[in-house]
Amino acid sequence: MARSSSSTTCCACWRAARDRRTVATSPLGSRRRSRATCLALRPPALDRLGLPAALEELARHIEPRAGCPIIVQACGYIRGNLALGAEQALYRIAREALNNCARHAGASKITVLLRLDRREATVAIRDDGMGFAAGDRAAEGDGAHLGLLEMRECARAWGGTLTIESLPEQGATVRAVLPCAPKEAVPS
């Protein structure tokens, strides 16, 4: 039931593949854009720092655009206890959720919570911004909102789930839960 990682579509992969084709076919394509595409596929901060510190670095990068503090908390994380691909998936989901917060939430505070136990890894991104109606098509990942759809697909690729909870004027929470798999596991 396992499939190769090359057939797995996850988060930024759609855009990165499109960008890679553009770089390859465009006379204006550049090494810089190609490098940015590669970095989007595999963030070097994960290898260098581990997931909690990489999320902290990501938060510091997005904080100026969000216009509010982003607090990162990690509980139960032990480096090496989660497959690298699963760490990448959680990082990409957090990155997309934080970018959505920066663009749309108008929040005064954003919290990123990373929690690992023996069975599952969870990343939850919560903002206290403007929120949206629970029945809003954006919450369903209807195709017009590719970032939400990509986050869902990213979680599903690792056998996990993505939930979005929100009410108007009461903020939103994006929660991804992935099963803890052996370090060398690939998504099925």
Side-chain angles (χ1 to χ4, degrees):
M1 191 162 201
R3 66 180 143 157
S4 73
S5 58
S6 63
S7 67
T8 302
T9 303
C10 181
C11 293
C13 296
W14 289 329
R15 281 187 283 227
R18 180 196 64 220
D19 292 346
R20 202 170 39 240
R21 285 191 301 272
T22 302
V23 168
T25 60
S26 170
L28 300 175
S30 69
R31 285 185 188 180
R32 185 179 312 145
R33 185 156 180 200
S34 181
R35 177 169 159 59
T37 298
C38 290
L39 293 177
L41 289 171
R42 182 179 174 121
L46 283 176
D47 293 332
R48 195 174 73 248
L49 304 170
L51 185 56
L55 290 172
E56 187 70 41
E57 183 179 277
L58 175 66
R60 298 297 72 83
H61 177 74
I62 293 176
E63 222 169 29
R65 286 188 295 119
C68 68
I70 301 175
I71 299 153
V72 177
Q73 301 171 331
C75 178
Y77 178 84
I78 298 173
R79 194 167 184 174
N81 278 2
L82 191 59
L84 179 59
E87 285 193 354
Q88 289 174 340
L90 291 172
Y91 180 90
R92 289 177 181 145
I93 290 166
R95 181 180 60 205
E96 184 64 32
L98 287 170
N99 280 323
N100 284 347
C101 289
R103 280 192 299 264
H104 306 296
S108 63
K109 182 174 88 172
I110 301 168
T111 304
V112 178
L113 175 61
L114 172 67
R115 185 182 57 79
L116 271 77
D117 60 31
R118 290 183 180 186
R119 295 174 300 134
E120 60 190 25
T122 302
V123 67
I125 299 85
R126 166 90 177 115
D127 71 71
D128 64 357
M130 56 193 270
F132 50 88
D136 190 336
R137 287 178 25 186
E140 303 305 317
D142 64 0
H145 301 86
L146 289 177
L148 296 174
L149 181 61
E150 288 173 358
M151 286 189 288
R152 269 192 214 291
E153 289 300 316
C154 199
R156 283 183 188 147
W158 283 91
T161 60
L162 183 95
T163 57
I164 302 168
E165 301 166 2
S166 184
L167 291 171
E169 305 303 321
Q170 294 185 25
T173 301
V174 173
R175 181 176 291 109
V177 180
L178 306 183
C180 285
K183 198 173 169 181
E184 59 280 339
V186 292
S188 55

